[in-house]
Amino acid sequence: MNRLPSWLIVWCAGVYAFLHIPILVLVLFSFNDSKFSVAWEGFTLKWYARLWERQDIVDGLVASLWVATTSTLIATVLGTLLALALARGAFPGRRWLEMLLYVPVVTPEIVVGISLLVLFVAMGLPLGLTTVVIAHVAFNLTYVVVVVLARLAGMDRSLEEAAMVLGADEVTTFWRITVPQLFPGILSGAMLAFTMSFDDYVITSFVTGPGSGTLPVVVYTMVRKNIEPSINAISTLVLVGTVILVTLADRWGRNRPLAGP
Amino acid sequence: MDDVVEFVRVSKTFAAYRAVDNISFEVRRGEFFSILGPSGCGKTTTLRLLAGFEQPDADGGEVRLLGERVNERRPYERQIAMVFQSYALFPHLSVERNVAFGLEMRAVSASDVPKRVAAALELVRLDPGVFGRRMPAQLSGGQRQRVALARALVLEPALLLLDEPLGAIDLKLRKEMQFELKQLNRQLGTTFVYVTHDQEEALTMSDRIAVMSNSRIAQLGSPAEIYENPRTPFVARFIGESNFLEGTAVEPDGEGWLVVDDGGHRWHLPAGPGVAGGRRVSVAVRPEWLDLFRPGETPAGENVLPGIVRDVVYLGETLHVVVRVAPERDLTVALRNEGQLARPLPWARGDAVHLGWLPGDSQVLEAD
C-alpha cells in the first residue's frame, strides 16, 4: 500500500475546499436566521417555509419539472433512435453526422440561446414553455446520444444474432434483447438530460415568454430585485435534487448487466 | 435426398473484397462437418451465409437447407441453431430463461418449456437445480459454453452451427468438450457444421473437413484424406507438418516416375495426374514417413537423399531430427521416442546420414 506524501494530501484538500466551500456557505446560510446573510445569527427553517408562500417560486418549480420531464422524454426516445442509427447504420456521411452532434455541446450557450430565439421568432412561434421544451430537447439530445452510443459500443452484436437464430424476428429481438441491454445507458442518458434541462438558465432565458419562467429564471429575477435567504433555500433544494439524480445516473450508467426478472 | 446443407457455387463480396469465392459443398445428414482454415480464409463468412446473417451476392449461387433454397431467408426462418464464439448468452436473463428463449420464440406450449429446459441442461451435464437460476456472469467459461450448447440443442435442430466454440477455454477442458461434442453429434444424430482454425480439433472430431484458403475450398475430405493426401502445398503445411521436395519428372520407371531434383539426386514417385515427362513436380512427405539410415544402409526400394544432421529436437513423444540436404534446405524426420536414457538415438549433430522413404509416401501437390 502506497502512502501519499503529505503535501499531496494538503494539495487535494485545498482543491476540494476551493470547489465545495462556496456550496457549503450557500447551504449554511439557507439556515441562517438573518435577513441580511452576512453573519450567522442562529438556526432557522423559515426560509424553507417561506418558499411555499412565494407563488412565483412554486410556479417556477412546476414549470421546471414540466419542461425537464417533457424534454427528457422526447430527447430520450429521439436520442436512443439516433444512437442506434449512428452505431448500426452504414450510410454515407455517418462520420460527419456524428461530428455534427457535438456542435451544440461546444457552442456557447448564449449563441445557442440567441440562435433559437431568432429561429422561433422567424417561424412565428409564440414564446412560452413550448419553445423552452423545444430548446431543451435540442441541447439534451446530444447527451442521450453520447451515453447510449457508449453503451452500444460495449454491446456484443452476436447477442442479437443469437436471438434471431433462436427464432426472434427483428422487432422481438429489439425489445427483448437490444432494449434491455441498452437500458442502463438509456436511463443514465435520461437522468443527465433531466438535470441539464432542470438547471439551464441561459438558453431558457432567451426562449421563454412572459409569465412562464422556469425555476432558474425565477431565481435570477429574484436576485436582481432583492437578495433574501429563501434563494439560498431553493438553491439548496435544487442542489440536493441534482446530486441525487447525477449519482443515480452514474450508478445506472456503469457497464453492467441488469438483474434478470 | 440426404444432404442437409448444399452450397452451389456460392460467392459473397463485401465492397471490393470477395470473402467467399464460388464454393460448392454438401453436408450429409448426421455428419460432423468442419470448415477449417486460417483467419480471413472465409470460413466465418461461410457459416454466416448458412445462418442467414449474410446473403450471397445477387449472382452468387445458391445456399440450400434441407433441400430448399434459403438465400433470402432470415435467420429466424431457417430452423437452425448456433453456438457462438463469444457464447452470446443474454446477460440479463438467467440460465433457464436463456435456454427457454428459443422455445418461447417457437411457441412451444408453456407447460413443456421447463421440462425441455431441464432436459437440455442435463444433456450438457449441468444440474438444472444448481445452475438454472444463475446469471451468465456467475458462470465459468466452461459452464457458459455448456449453457450456450443447451440453448441451441433444446430446439432439437436438424442443423447445429458452431463458430469456434472452444477457442476461449483452456486446453484440458477443450479436449473434454471435443469429446463431448462428438458424443452429442452421434447420440442425437444432429448435423454439426463446425468452424475452426485449429487443425488438431478438426482432425479429432470431424467426419469430413473442408479446408479453406483465400475464400475458396482448398480440399474437402475425411481427416485421413486431408492429412495423408494433401492436394496443395497450403493444405500440406496447414494440417500437420510437411517436408517439401521439388524436381523434374524424367521418365516412367516401372510403376511410377523417375525424378531428378536440383541437386542432381534421383528419386521415384508414384504415377499420378500431375506427373508427366519434363514437368516440374512438387512433393510433400510427412516427417513421420521419413526414416534415417547410415550411408549405404537404406533398404532397397526406398528413395534416398544424403544429408548432414543439423539438430535433434526432443519433443517427448517424438524426436525431430533436422537434416540439411542442400544449402539452405532442411528436412525434418520425426522418430518415435523409445527412451533417450535407455536407448539414445544413434544420431548427433554433424553426422552424415541418408534419408529414406517409400515412393508411395510422396504426395504430389498441385499449385495452390
Side-chain angles (χ1 to χ4, degrees), chain B residues 19-57:
Chain B
V20 166
D21 189 5
N22 199 19
I23 66 172
S24 298
F25 63 88
E26 293 88 37
V27 181
R28 299 168 193 147
R29 187 176 300 279
E31 191 170 37
F32 198 120
F33 186 92
S34 290
I35 304 175
L36 171 67
S39 58
C41 71
K43 58 185 192 300
T44 300
T45 306
T46 305
L47 196 73
R48 293 176 62 82
L49 284 163
L50 199 43
F53 302 139
E54 312 288 351
Q55 271 80 47
D57 295 343

Short mmCIF file of all heavy atoms in Angstrom, two decimals, chain B residues 19-57:
data_model
loop_
_atom_site.label_atom_id
_atom_site.label_comp_id
_atom_site.label_asym_id
_atom_site.label_seq_id
_atom_site.Cartn_x
_atom_site.Cartn_y
_atom_site.Cartn_z
N ALA B 19 -15.17 -12.40 -50.05
CA ALA B 19 -14.88 -13.18 -48.84
C ALA B 19 -15.10 -14.67 -49.08
O ALA B 19 -14.45 -15.51 -48.45
CB ALA B 19 -15.75 -12.71 -47.68
N VAL B 20 -16.06 -14.98 -49.95
CA VAL B 20 -16.31 -16.38 -50.31
C VAL B 20 -16.40 -16.40 -51.82
O VAL B 20 -17.15 -15.64 -52.42
CB VAL B 20 -17.62 -16.88 -49.66
CG1 VAL B 20 -18.05 -18.18 -50.30
CG2 VAL B 20 -17.43 -17.07 -48.17
N ASP B 21 -15.60 -17.28 -52.44
CA ASP B 21 -15.45 -17.21 -53.88
C ASP B 21 -15.87 -18.53 -54.53
O ASP B 21 -15.08 -19.48 -54.57
CB ASP B 21 -13.99 -16.87 -54.21
CG ASP B 21 -13.80 -16.57 -55.68
OD1 ASP B 21 -14.80 -16.54 -56.42
OD2 ASP B 21 -12.64 -16.39 -56.09
N ASN B 22 -17.13 -18.57 -54.95
CA ASN B 22 -17.56 -19.68 -55.79
C ASN B 22 -17.32 -21.04 -55.14
O ASN B 22 -16.66 -21.90 -55.73
CB ASN B 22 -16.80 -19.57 -57.13
CG ASN B 22 -17.49 -20.38 -58.22
OD1 ASN B 22 -18.67 -20.73 -58.09
ND2 ASN B 22 -16.76 -20.69 -59.26
N ILE B 23 -17.84 -21.22 -53.94
CA ILE B 23 -17.59 -22.51 -53.28
C ILE B 23 -18.83 -23.41 -53.35
O ILE B 23 -19.96 -22.94 -53.33
CB ILE B 23 -17.13 -22.35 -51.81
CG1 ILE B 23 -18.24 -21.76 -50.93
CG2 ILE B 23 -15.88 -21.51 -51.71
CD1 ILE B 23 -17.87 -21.79 -49.47
N SER B 24 -18.57 -24.68 -53.46
CA SER B 24 -19.62 -25.69 -53.51
C SER B 24 -19.25 -26.83 -52.57
O SER B 24 -18.11 -27.27 -52.55
CB SER B 24 -19.76 -26.26 -54.93
OG SER B 24 -20.13 -25.24 -55.83
N PHE B 25 -20.23 -27.25 -51.78
CA PHE B 25 -20.04 -28.46 -50.96
C PHE B 25 -21.39 -28.91 -50.45
O PHE B 25 -22.37 -28.17 -50.52
CB PHE B 25 -19.06 -28.22 -49.81
CG PHE B 25 -19.51 -27.21 -48.79
CD1 PHE B 25 -20.29 -27.59 -47.69
CD2 PHE B 25 -19.17 -25.87 -48.92
CE1 PHE B 25 -20.70 -26.66 -46.75
CE2 PHE B 25 -19.58 -24.93 -47.98
CZ PHE B 25 -20.35 -25.33 -46.89
N GLU B 26 -21.44 -30.14 -49.97
CA GLU B 26 -22.66 -30.64 -49.34
C GLU B 26 -22.30 -31.15 -47.95
O GLU B 26 -21.20 -31.62 -47.72
CB GLU B 26 -23.25 -31.82 -50.12
CG GLU B 26 -23.79 -31.48 -51.49
CD GLU B 26 -22.70 -31.58 -52.54
OE1 GLU B 26 -21.86 -32.49 -52.43
OE2 GLU B 26 -22.66 -30.72 -53.44
N VAL B 27 -23.24 -31.02 -47.05
CA VAL B 27 -23.09 -31.62 -45.72
C VAL B 27 -24.17 -32.68 -45.59
O VAL B 27 -25.35 -32.40 -45.79
CB VAL B 27 -23.24 -30.57 -44.61
CG1 VAL B 27 -23.05 -31.24 -43.25
CG2 VAL B 27 -22.24 -29.44 -44.80
N ARG B 28 -23.75 -33.90 -45.24
CA ARG B 28 -24.72 -35.01 -45.19
C ARG B 28 -25.40 -35.06 -43.84
O ARG B 28 -24.85 -34.58 -42.83
CB ARG B 28 -23.99 -36.33 -45.44
CG ARG B 28 -23.34 -36.38 -46.81
CD ARG B 28 -22.39 -37.56 -46.91
NE ARG B 28 -21.54 -37.43 -48.08
CZ ARG B 28 -20.28 -37.88 -48.13
NH1 ARG B 28 -19.74 -38.45 -47.08
NH2 ARG B 28 -19.59 -37.73 -49.23
N ARG B 29 -26.55 -35.69 -43.80
CA ARG B 29 -27.31 -35.79 -42.56
C ARG B 29 -26.51 -36.50 -41.48
O ARG B 29 -25.92 -37.55 -41.72
CB ARG B 29 -28.62 -36.54 -42.82
CG ARG B 29 -29.57 -36.54 -41.62
CD ARG B 29 -30.88 -37.21 -41.96
NE ARG B 29 -31.57 -36.53 -43.07
CZ ARG B 29 -32.28 -35.43 -42.92
NH1 ARG B 29 -32.42 -34.89 -41.74
NH2 ARG B 29 -32.87 -34.87 -43.95
N GLY B 30 -26.48 -35.90 -40.30
CA GLY B 30 -25.82 -36.54 -39.16
C GLY B 30 -24.31 -36.38 -39.14
O GLY B 30 -23.65 -36.84 -38.22
N GLU B 31 -23.78 -35.72 -40.14
CA GLU B 31 -22.34 -35.61 -40.27
C GLU B 31 -21.75 -34.58 -39.30
O GLU B 31 -22.42 -33.60 -38.97
CB GLU B 31 -22.04 -35.18 -41.70
CG GLU B 31 -20.60 -35.27 -42.10
CD GLU B 31 -20.42 -35.06 -43.61
OE1 GLU B 31 -21.14 -34.22 -44.20
OE2 GLU B 31 -19.57 -35.71 -44.19
N PHE B 32 -20.52 -34.80 -38.88
CA PHE B 32 -19.75 -33.76 -38.20
C PHE B 32 -18.83 -33.17 -39.24
O PHE B 32 -17.83 -33.77 -39.63
CB PHE B 32 -18.94 -34.35 -37.04
CG PHE B 32 -18.48 -33.32 -36.05
CD1 PHE B 32 -18.88 -33.41 -34.72
CD2 PHE B 32 -17.68 -32.27 -36.43
CE1 PHE B 32 -18.47 -32.44 -33.78
CE2 PHE B 32 -17.27 -31.31 -35.51
CZ PHE B 32 -17.67 -31.41 -34.20
N PHE B 33 -19.20 -31.98 -39.72
CA PHE B 33 -18.51 -31.37 -40.86
C PHE B 33 -17.76 -30.14 -40.36
O PHE B 33 -18.35 -29.25 -39.76
CB PHE B 33 -19.56 -30.96 -41.90
CG PHE B 33 -18.99 -30.46 -43.19
CD1 PHE B 33 -18.75 -31.33 -44.25
CD2 PHE B 33 -18.70 -29.11 -43.36
CE1 PHE B 33 -18.23 -30.87 -45.45
CE2 PHE B 33 -18.18 -28.64 -44.56
CZ PHE B 33 -17.94 -29.53 -45.61
N SER B 34 -16.46 -30.10 -40.60
CA SER B 34 -15.69 -28.95 -40.15
C SER B 34 -15.26 -28.08 -41.32
O SER B 34 -14.95 -28.60 -42.39
CB SER B 34 -14.43 -29.40 -39.40
OG SER B 34 -14.78 -29.95 -38.17
N ILE B 35 -15.27 -26.79 -41.07
CA ILE B 35 -14.68 -25.86 -42.02
C ILE B 35 -13.43 -25.31 -41.34
O ILE B 35 -13.52 -24.67 -40.30
CB ILE B 35 -15.65 -24.73 -42.39
CG1 ILE B 35 -16.95 -25.33 -42.93
CG2 ILE B 35 -15.03 -23.79 -43.40
CD1 ILE B 35 -18.04 -24.31 -43.20
N LEU B 36 -12.29 -25.62 -41.91
CA LEU B 36 -11.00 -25.35 -41.26
C LEU B 36 -10.19 -24.39 -42.12
O LEU B 36 -10.14 -24.55 -43.33
CB LEU B 36 -10.26 -26.69 -41.11
CG LEU B 36 -8.80 -26.67 -40.65
CD1 LEU B 36 -8.70 -26.17 -39.22
CD2 LEU B 36 -8.18 -28.05 -40.77
N GLY B 37 -9.57 -23.42 -41.48
CA GLY B 37 -8.71 -22.52 -42.24
C GLY B 37 -8.18 -21.44 -41.34
O GLY B 37 -8.66 -21.24 -40.22
N PRO B 38 -7.16 -20.71 -41.82
CA PRO B 38 -6.61 -19.60 -41.03
C PRO B 38 -7.58 -18.44 -40.99
O PRO B 38 -8.55 -18.42 -41.75
CB PRO B 38 -5.34 -19.23 -41.79
CG PRO B 38 -5.61 -19.65 -43.20
CD PRO B 38 -6.52 -20.83 -43.13
N SER B 39 -7.35 -17.46 -40.13
CA SER B 39 -8.28 -16.34 -40.06
C SER B 39 -8.24 -15.58 -41.38
O SER B 39 -7.20 -15.46 -42.02
CB SER B 39 -7.93 -15.41 -38.89
OG SER B 39 -6.62 -14.95 -39.04
N GLY B 40 -9.42 -15.13 -41.80
CA GLY B 40 -9.52 -14.40 -43.05
C GLY B 40 -9.67 -15.30 -44.27
O GLY B 40 -9.66 -14.82 -45.39
N CYS B 41 -9.85 -16.62 -44.06
CA CYS B 41 -9.92 -17.52 -45.21
C CYS B 41 -11.34 -17.60 -45.76
O CYS B 41 -11.56 -18.13 -46.84
CB CYS B 41 -9.43 -18.91 -44.84
SG CYS B 41 -10.57 -19.80 -43.76
N GLY B 42 -12.32 -17.07 -45.00
CA GLY B 42 -13.71 -17.10 -45.48
C GLY B 42 -14.57 -18.10 -44.74
O GLY B 42 -15.76 -18.24 -45.03
N LYS B 43 -14.02 -18.76 -43.73
CA LYS B 43 -14.80 -19.81 -43.05
C LYS B 43 -15.95 -19.22 -42.24
O LYS B 43 -17.06 -19.75 -42.25
CB LYS B 43 -13.90 -20.68 -42.17
CG LYS B 43 -13.13 -19.94 -41.09
CD LYS B 43 -12.18 -20.90 -40.38
CE LYS B 43 -11.58 -20.32 -39.12
NZ LYS B 43 -10.78 -19.09 -39.32
N THR B 44 -15.69 -18.09 -41.58
CA THR B 44 -16.76 -17.48 -40.79
C THR B 44 -17.86 -16.94 -41.69
O THR B 44 -19.05 -17.09 -41.40
CB THR B 44 -16.19 -16.39 -39.89
OG1 THR B 44 -15.23 -17.00 -39.02
CG2 THR B 44 -17.26 -15.75 -39.05
N THR B 45 -17.47 -16.33 -42.81
CA THR B 45 -18.48 -15.83 -43.76
C THR B 45 -19.33 -16.99 -44.28
O THR B 45 -20.55 -16.87 -44.41
CB THR B 45 -17.81 -15.10 -44.93
OG1 THR B 45 -16.96 -14.09 -44.39
CG2 THR B 45 -18.83 -14.47 -45.85
N THR B 46 -18.69 -18.12 -44.54
CA THR B 46 -19.44 -19.29 -44.99
C THR B 46 -20.50 -19.69 -43.97
O THR B 46 -21.66 -19.93 -44.30
CB THR B 46 -18.47 -20.46 -45.23
OG1 THR B 46 -17.46 -20.04 -46.14
CG2 THR B 46 -19.18 -21.67 -45.78
N LEU B 47 -20.09 -19.69 -42.70
CA LEU B 47 -21.03 -20.05 -41.64
C LEU B 47 -22.15 -19.02 -41.54
O LEU B 47 -23.32 -19.36 -41.33
CB LEU B 47 -20.29 -20.17 -40.31
CG LEU B 47 -21.06 -20.90 -39.21
CD1 LEU B 47 -21.07 -22.39 -39.51
CD2 LEU B 47 -20.45 -20.66 -37.85
N ARG B 48 -21.80 -17.74 -41.69
CA ARG B 48 -22.80 -16.68 -41.58
C ARG B 48 -23.78 -16.72 -42.76
O ARG B 48 -24.94 -16.35 -42.62
CB ARG B 48 -22.12 -15.32 -41.47
CG ARG B 48 -21.35 -15.17 -40.15
CD ARG B 48 -20.60 -13.85 -40.08
NE ARG B 48 -21.47 -12.70 -40.13
CZ ARG B 48 -22.12 -12.22 -39.09
NH1 ARG B 48 -21.96 -12.76 -37.91
NH2 ARG B 48 -22.93 -11.18 -39.22
N LEU B 49 -23.31 -17.17 -43.89
CA LEU B 49 -24.21 -17.37 -45.03
C LEU B 49 -25.20 -18.47 -44.72
O LEU B 49 -26.38 -18.41 -45.07
CB LEU B 49 -23.41 -17.74 -46.28
CG LEU B 49 -22.66 -16.61 -46.97
CD1 LEU B 49 -21.60 -17.17 -47.91
CD2 LEU B 49 -23.62 -15.73 -47.75
N LEU B 50 -24.72 -19.48 -44.02
CA LEU B 50 -25.55 -20.61 -43.67
C LEU B 50 -26.59 -20.21 -42.60
O LEU B 50 -27.75 -20.62 -42.66
CB LEU B 50 -24.62 -21.71 -43.13
CG LEU B 50 -25.09 -23.14 -43.08
CD1 LEU B 50 -25.84 -23.52 -44.34
CD2 LEU B 50 -23.86 -24.03 -42.91
N ALA B 51 -26.16 -19.37 -41.65
CA ALA B 51 -27.05 -18.94 -40.58
C ALA B 51 -28.07 -17.91 -41.07
O ALA B 51 -29.12 -17.74 -40.47
CB ALA B 51 -26.24 -18.35 -39.42
N GLY B 52 -27.73 -17.21 -42.14
CA GLY B 52 -28.64 -16.19 -42.65
C GLY B 52 -28.28 -14.77 -42.23
O GLY B 52 -29.04 -13.84 -42.45
N PHE B 53 -27.11 -14.60 -41.59
CA PHE B 53 -26.66 -13.24 -41.23
C PHE B 53 -26.14 -12.51 -42.46
O PHE B 53 -26.04 -11.30 -42.48
CB PHE B 53 -25.57 -13.28 -40.18
CG PHE B 53 -25.98 -13.99 -38.92
CD1 PHE B 53 -25.12 -14.85 -38.27
CD2 PHE B 53 -27.24 -13.78 -38.39
CE1 PHE B 53 -25.51 -15.50 -37.13
CE2 PHE B 53 -27.64 -14.43 -37.24
CZ PHE B 53 -26.77 -15.30 -36.61
N GLU B 54 -25.74 -13.27 -43.46
CA GLU B 54 -25.30 -12.69 -44.73
C GLU B 54 -26.07 -13.37 -45.85
O GLU B 54 -26.46 -14.53 -45.72
CB GLU B 54 -23.80 -12.92 -44.97
CG GLU B 54 -22.88 -12.59 -43.81
CD GLU B 54 -22.75 -11.10 -43.57
OE1 GLU B 54 -23.24 -10.31 -44.42
OE2 GLU B 54 -22.15 -10.74 -42.55
N GLN B 55 -26.28 -12.62 -46.93
CA GLN B 55 -26.89 -13.20 -48.12
C GLN B 55 -25.82 -13.32 -49.21
O GLN B 55 -24.96 -12.45 -49.30
CB GLN B 55 -28.03 -12.33 -48.63
CG GLN B 55 -29.39 -12.66 -48.03
CD GLN B 55 -29.56 -12.05 -46.65
OE1 GLN B 55 -29.28 -10.88 -46.46
NE2 GLN B 55 -30.00 -12.86 -45.70
N PRO B 56 -25.90 -14.37 -50.03
CA PRO B 56 -24.94 -14.47 -51.13
C PRO B 56 -25.13 -13.29 -52.09
O PRO B 56 -26.18 -12.65 -52.09
CB PRO B 56 -25.30 -15.79 -51.83
CG PRO B 56 -26.17 -16.52 -50.88
CD PRO B 56 -26.82 -15.51 -50.00
N ASP B 57 -24.12 -13.01 -52.92
CA ASP B 57 -24.25 -11.99 -53.95
C ASP B 57 -25.45 -12.32 -54.84
O ASP B 57 -25.89 -13.47 -54.90
CB ASP B 57 -22.99 -11.95 -54.82
CG ASP B 57 -21.78 -11.50 -54.00
OD1 ASP B 57 -21.99 -10.94 -52.92
OD2 ASP B 57 -20.66 -11.74 -54.46
#
